[in-house]
């Protein structure tokens, strides 16, 4: 379910996507991405091995 957007938010989102598309076209596909972690990112393995008490010990 999508959250309703105001016209101003929708316009800003479209401008952002257009800027990202332009940068990716100019610099190469995948240069600019949304802030999502990669599935096989190197740091992902390190955080997977934390103990449940990582904040206290």
């Amino acid at each position: 379910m999508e959250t309703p957007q105001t016209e101003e938010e929708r316009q800003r989102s479209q401008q952002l996507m257009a800027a990202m598309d332009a940068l990716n076209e100019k610099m190469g596909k995948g240069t600019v991405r949304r802030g999502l972690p990669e599935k096989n990112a190197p740091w992902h393995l390190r955080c997977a091995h934390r103990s449940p008490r990582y904040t206290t010990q």
Side-chain angles (χ1 to χ4, degrees):
M1 182 174 177
E2 249 182 71
T3 56
Q5 293 180 323
T6 65
E7 184 59 35
E8 184 179 307
E9 289 171 330
R10 188 172 300 120
Q11 194 172 31
R12 185 168 185 222
S13 179
Q14 288 174 346
Q15 289 174 337
L16 176 63
M17 291 297 126
M20 287 177 63
D21 289 341
L23 284 169
N24 280 330
E25 187 175 320
K26 182 178 180 179
M27 307 294 254
K29 185 178 179 179
T31 301
V32 179
R33 291 178 279 165
R34 295 175 296 172
L36 299 173
E38 296 177 13
K39 285 199 180 254
N40 295 323
W43 58 265
H44 184 63
L45 295 175
R46 289 195 308 259
C47 69
H49 294 293
R50 282 191 200 144
S51 73
R53 297 171 15 186
Y54 69 90
T55 57
T56 57
Q57 292 194 357

